[in-house]
Amino acid sequence: MQKITVDIFHIFKKCFHFFSVQEFSIGPREVFVVATTDRTILDFDKFKELQDGSTLYLLQHERQDLPVAAEEHINFTPHYDVVIRGGMHEYYASQGQAPLSYTLAELIDNALSATAKNEGLRSIEIRVLNDKTVGKPAVIVLDNGHGMSSKQLNNWAVYRLSKFKKESTEGYVRPDPVPRSLNSDISYFGVGGKQAVFYIGDSARMISKPVGSPDVHELVLSKEEFERKEKNNEDVYSTTILNRRPGDSSHVKNNDERFLHALIAEERGKASFTAVVITGVQPEHITLLTDRLDIVTRQLAHIYHYYIHGVNGHVMSSSSSNSDHPTNIDIQVTLREKPPKCPRAIHLREVEDDMQTLFINAAADTFEFRATTIPERGTVEGIVRYHPFLYDKETYPKDPTVAQAPDNDDDDNEAGFSDRARKEKPIFECFWNGRLIPYTKVSEFDWCSPRGAKVPVECYSRLSGVLFTDDRFQVTTNKLTFTDLELKLRDKNTIYTIVVNGQKSSKRATIQNEFNQWLQNCHEKFDKQVKFLGFKGTITRHDVPSKKMQQPWATFSSIEWEGKTYKTGQHVKSLRTNPVLYGTIDRFLLYGNYDGDVFATGGQVEVIREPKALYDTIKIIPISKIDKAATDEVIRRNIDKSLKVVWPKGNPWPANAVCPAGTPLGPINVIILNRKGEQISSIPTAGQGKGQVLSMQLKIVLHGSKGDQLISNLVALHSAKWGFEFKRNGTFLFFHQFVIWLLFVYNSSTVFGGKPLPNYTLKFTIKGKETQSSDPTVRVGVPFNIPVQFKDLYGHVTAPPPELHYDLKVTFCGLKKDTQTIKISLLPGNPHSLHVMPEENPVKVENGNPVAFNVEIHDEAGNITAQPKQIVRCQVQGFPFVTTDCSNTGGGQIMTEHINLKIMDGQPQMLKVHFEMPSQKHIASVTRQLKVNPSARVAKMEIYRADAENLVVTNNEKIDWLAGGSLENLFYRLYDEAGNEVAVSAEIVNWTADVDLKGLIQGKLPDIQVPTKVQDERFFQVSYHDQSVSVSFPFQTLSKLSTFHLCNIYFVYCMLVETKCSPRADLELVDQYDNVTWTLIPTSVRDMNVEAEGLDTSSVAFKWQESSSSVVVTGVRFHSGRLGFRDLCFKYSSYVERINVEVTAGVPAKLKLIGEPEQVKKKKQNGHSILTPFLVQLCDEWENPCPDQRVVVHLRPSHSTLKVTTPVTSQPVNTEGKASFTVNSVSGPKGNYQLKFTGSFTEKSIPGPAVNLTIIPDCNKPVKLSVEYDSSARFLAGGIFPGLHLCLFVQSLESLSLSTKLKASVCVSGQFSQCRTISFVFLCRDKQIPQHAGQHVIQFALRVDKNNDLLSDQIAINVVANQPVKLGPDSQPPTPVVSNSTDITNRTLVENMTLRIMDSHGNSAGQDLDGRVVVSIKCPNGERSNSLPLFEGKISSFRLILVDGKAFINVSNMLHRMSFVLVFKSLVPTPLEPFELQFHFYNDAENQTRISELTKKRDELSAAIATYTTAFTTSKQLLNFLCVCISLKIQNIDRLINEKSAEVDQILTMPRRSCSIHETSMLQLDVLGKVGHLAFVEDDTAAWVISWHIWGDMDCVVTKTKEAAERIYKETNGRQQVMALDSVKLFWKPLPHIRNGHALFDPPGNPVFARELLICPNDQKCCDIGELP
């Protein structure tokens, strides 16, 4: 057979051109192109990539518009991942939440990925149509992304065809890292879009126009169509893509989708777009989108918060922006309803109440960090926010979508502290590639938990946070849950670092210490708490239901809250209580043990409800429910409104009023109000009907010298118009105090239920103008008047009569006693002057002491006089004034404050002292001079250093000193105000015990040890007498330039020989304590260099870093040389820094043979093995051993004719970078070959050595057996084979021994000493040709050795029939039994029997013979009879026609009884043996039936004996054959077992091919073990996929019973995952391409269930999930 290569494309091109010209009438010179539906012009390469059934366009040019819509047939068979990833969590509503927003998010994910490369605006719209005038409800998702071609649209339809498996010439490229992982790479698994559209509705229409294409591609998937195809047994996963012009909606016929016409009309003018149209929307979804659109948009704004607002989020303050990372994404949701309702549009950018916006804007401060997981180097960015407590409330945002519990009026059970801000919510929300993963939240980490906290525990409840990850952390396919995030972050190898201003912090502190410091600063700076004052004691509250909270409760008398003070006895009003409470503060309560003033974030207040007579109850409410805005007037008015007194005539009498005698009282109306402010007139009852009527009693009581006297007692009933009314009362004529009591009366009693009814009390006084009963007094030099009073008949003062005349002698004409003499007493006069003592001027005082002045007030005569309001005020210049009251004695002493002046240079200072009387402006003021002399007290301290420099430290002078040094020889001196030095005695010195007290008395201060680390400024103070005199100075530690230092080094992970991942190092100048000196300048890089053995200095670069004032060294790599540790020497000026780095091998670059040189030539006989294994070493470019176990080494022959047998043809290198290959045999034609070793690493090839191999012939090994025979010879059935000519080809005949190779039955001819072919004749004297005519196959086998046979080609021969010898039927008929009967069926001997001319073996041999067959009857066994039966028609014989040796027989109708023989004799030229058929004839039907049954049984037994004989013969032959085969193959079976065992051992030793989880529970009762240890998987790829799916469940313990699972769960306190097999319910489904036991289509690959790939070494029956109930 010869292989012929044909240019298929050339043939196709010619044929297609001819067909196109004939079919489409294309002219011979007319130009046309053939393109795919993606407008790809076909060439040779593109044609080879076409699949069967592809749709092609015949166009005039590439950009030609389609004249009509064209349909394209596609297949979207589910990808095999639908099986191997079928166990993932696929249900959106798994958490009991409304998942509609999350399904819409899946479609937005696709839109974000599609618009990722847009240079301008990235527009995404969710359009909700609920307008019956344009069709049924629909949801449309539109974007202006790059669109999808028909091929991409086909890929979209394939379920679980992820981005990693889609056909692409470039392959998937992971996007570059960006802040917050906002890379838009979130259209991921090939699952979410299909799940989303069929969760929302029943049909999805995909409309897309790719960039650069003039066509629009449209695909429709619907539930109805799927069901129809399945019902009709059609291919479910196939449909068509409609390719059309933009704006062409002629294909839309469904009246329910009329809105599509307007949607398609929008396509014109768009460069690219994609629209997802979902119809058949579920009613509950359209109701939610219509009625609760705000909830949906709020959740979507939360999911895509950072895509919409940028990396900093939505900061609503004007000072903040995201200018560093602007966003061009616009996502909007529009709703169109039936007119007259107006369309609504909400841009997610405008949503201000999503949770992330609330968190960001409610935070007072943030703490940023970064977590790096090992070994995959996954990075997580994290933010912790602090929401402070402000006086009475927590500022931690509440979720607006969660209904908040209403305030409870019963606050008796409320705890002492306010509610925790976060309650039980986790701290961190998790974002994956910039979008929210809603069902995964992380509660806390060890470093941010309250264990061992130095701040109040409630501060930890004020934290919120965000974690940002990329796709290195796995999520479920519906993007609702992380599978491994928290597990990796809690791993002990995860590295946490602090981030400041977006950069890694240079601080060398643990994240826990930094977080605790940050949290403490937030608590001290931002939390505003309540201060409890006036501690009274600790009590136990039995009104609290929880015994744990009944004690201890501290009581306080007052609080300070938000700038206000609330004290016991103060009236307050409650807020957010039902009903609103008005009352008096009794005390404040705070849960906990306290013994003084304290700050707290909560607490309670005990309020006595007012009016007390009406309620007589005490309520306890939280302090936060005190109404801070309520004024005292409002509170008082509401307290008094329970009993309201109205003065209808507008003449109210106020409390404690003083009224003249005769003033009328009233009228008065009284109203009583209930809690709701409504008027009542009776006692309320619990049932129906009106209660007992109340009445009002008015009592007027006179308070006289003889006691209280009731002068009036009135009772008023209720009136619907006026209430309780009392009419105008008479006038009061007595000058006394009175009290009016208004009391409610119930059944003649003012008490109801043991409590007094409301009452009102009004006190007033009736007075007239009293006369003076004592003698008048006059003052010296002061004119005086004589008081005169006129009284009426009742003794009351009244107005004098008109026209009276006065004289010195008072006489009133017309009176009975018209003259009166008045006695006058002389007293001191009015104040005239102010006298101050001492009278010396100036008055001397020592600085720091007060001054005492004596003052007197004199009249004109110099007498001391005392008059009211004689207040004397004294003010010293620069000091506040002091006063003394001289009203009673006329004199007093004034003591000034301590006069403390700053005396300069020991000189006294003069002050003025001013005395005056503010109420007596006519009295002249007095001024004195005050001389303040320097005092002897210590007023100045001087700190100095006793050395050559005589350093003197002034107050607040900043001192810079070198790190690690000591400030020694410090002394102090004390001076008084006069500048005189003050001696220090031991009595006034107080210092710690470890200080030299003697030296301290002598003025020597302890030495100050300077810290070794440069930190913030430290403050030192030396004070005398409680800091009355002190010297303070800040202390700054300076670094001393002493050495050269690497502050950051990353060589540990990436210092490779010639690696592309060049390490970097930061260089700084530090002192001996590693303090940065900050002395480097930009020009310092010129003087820096680095040296090392084998260092590539050409790539080293020193770069100045302005932000850190350091130098960054990049490009440090080595040319070649030894591996291991080397010294890197950095030099700058005179400074040298050496570091020891480990140099490892570079990137794998080539393979090297170990033990023998490459290109070595090996001569091997054909079929022999290579004894020495090949050992291959993986090396870098400089032949350094590279132990990268990700590299796989392959062994391949240079030509396909060379057959190489090895245990493995490819394997990864071991930990030393080596791979060993053993060649068991090589075989092939004689010639020169190569064994090539190549490597592969991340889809890149690594060159390797080649071993030259020369195959030489084996002198004792035949290679071919050829048979030559006469093809024209006839092979007669049952004859003897003729002699056959066999040719034996060998590789060499130098020492061939034919006697050992050929059997004795072979006759050899010819000379063989120097030729390579042996010819001999195989005599077949004892070999019989098969007896059955037909096609047969002959094959010769030459036994080369005990294990191998050399086979010849198969020879097909046609065995023909031998010489005709007899006449016989096709099949032996049963023995006929007939009877003498009128029924022809009982008289028929033979029916439908065919006789043929046959050879002796039963083969048809009369194809060329024609003639006749004579049928006659004779007696059996040669007997004679005169009465033979006759045939029908009373004839003894008849003839039948014989054609081609075949005759058809029907014989019947004979009259006789006995046994006879039916003879069929042929009349042909060749004499043949006749066919005889014995039969029986009986006259009665009964005998016929009995004999017929017996004959039938005899025939059956005869046939069975023949069958068994054949079977036994065949079985014996097969048994002999199997014994020979087993003896030949048993050694091969042992060899295969050993090879497979070695392969298993090798697989188990490979990395990641064995489970590293520690097994601790396998030996327990009814425990199978952990999932990772239960089964093995042979195939690498299958093992990777299955392990990826069950990654989070590898450590789950599987038990046989539920009891064992509960036992392990309790023993581990719930930390161990468990699963009981007896609680598992399984429902198996067939593979996607299997329906009702039949395959619907031929799936790509070889899809199988994952369980079929599991190999269970232990408890296989229990582990086989197919055996579960």
Side-chain angles (χ1 to χ4, degrees), residues 739-757:
V739 177
I740 295 179
W741 285 345
L742 292 172
L743 304 168
F744 274 100
V745 180
Y746 170 73
N747 287 339
S748 302
S749 174
T750 60
V751 178
F752 177 75
K755 299 180 181 179
L757 293 172

Side-chain angles (χ1 to χ4, degrees), residues 960-966 1009-1014 1035-1040 1071-1075:
D960 297 333
W961 210 260
L962 294 179
S966 178
Q1009 188 68 33
V1010 181
T1012 60
K1013 298 295 181 181
V1014 176
F1035 208 96
Q1036 179 65 50
T1037 306
L1038 297 181
S1039 59
K1040 180 180 179 181
D1071 60 10
Q1072 59 180 336
Y1073 303 107
D1074 289 342
N1075 298 309

Side-chain angles (χ1 to χ4, degrees), residues 1386-1501:
N1386 294 331
R1387 293 187 288 112
T1388 301
L1389 288 173
V1390 179
E1391 184 177 8
N1392 298 333
M1393 181 179 71
T1394 301
L1395 292 179
R1396 298 179 186 275
I1397 298 176
M1398 300 180 180
D1399 61 6
S1400 59
H1401 305 291
N1403 301 307
S1404 178
Q1407 286 80 1
D1408 299 330
L1409 295 177
D1410 296 332
R1412 294 190 178 270
V1413 176
V1414 178
V1415 183
S1416 60
I1417 300 175
K1418 71 174 183 177
C1419 294
N1421 302 323
E1423 298 177 1
R1424 292 184 177 269
S1425 175
N1426 294 326
S1427 57
L1428 293 175
L1430 300 178
F1431 295 106
E1432 188 176 7
K1434 298 181 180 181
I1435 58 176
S1436 59
S1437 65
F1438 63 91
R1439 297 185 179 187
L1440 300 175
I1441 298 174
L1442 180 68
V1443 179
D1444 290 336
K1446 180 172 63 175
F1448 188 74
I1449 308 298
N1450 278 315
V1451 180
S1452 63
N1453 198 19
M1454 46 193 64
L1455 302 172
H1456 219 291
R1457 58 176 183 179
M1458 65 175 58
S1459 298
F1460 297 97
V1461 176
L1462 189 63
V1463 181
F1464 299 86
K1465 184 178 181 181
S1466 61
L1467 299 178
V1468 294
T1470 303
L1472 301 176
E1473 180 182 348
F1475 171 66
E1476 296 181 354
L1477 178 64
Q1478 186 178 6
F1479 67 92
H1480 300 276
F1481 178 79
Y1482 296 92
N1483 285 325
D1484 57 328
E1486 181 179 355
N1487 288 330
Q1488 178 193 5
T1489 303
R1490 183 171 59 84
I1491 296 301
S1492 178
E1493 293 177 353
L1494 293 175
T1495 303
K1496 184 177 180 180
K1497 290 181 179 180
R1498 184 196 66 183
D1499 294 340
E1500 291 177 352
L1501 290 174

Side-chain angles (χ1 to χ4, degrees), residues 877-898:
Q877 180 183 353
F879 291 87
F881 61 81
V882 293
T883 60
T884 185
D885 190 357
C886 301
S887 301
N888 296 325
T889 61
Q893 187 180 56
I894 296 178
M895 183 67 71
T896 67
E897 293 186 356
H898 291 267

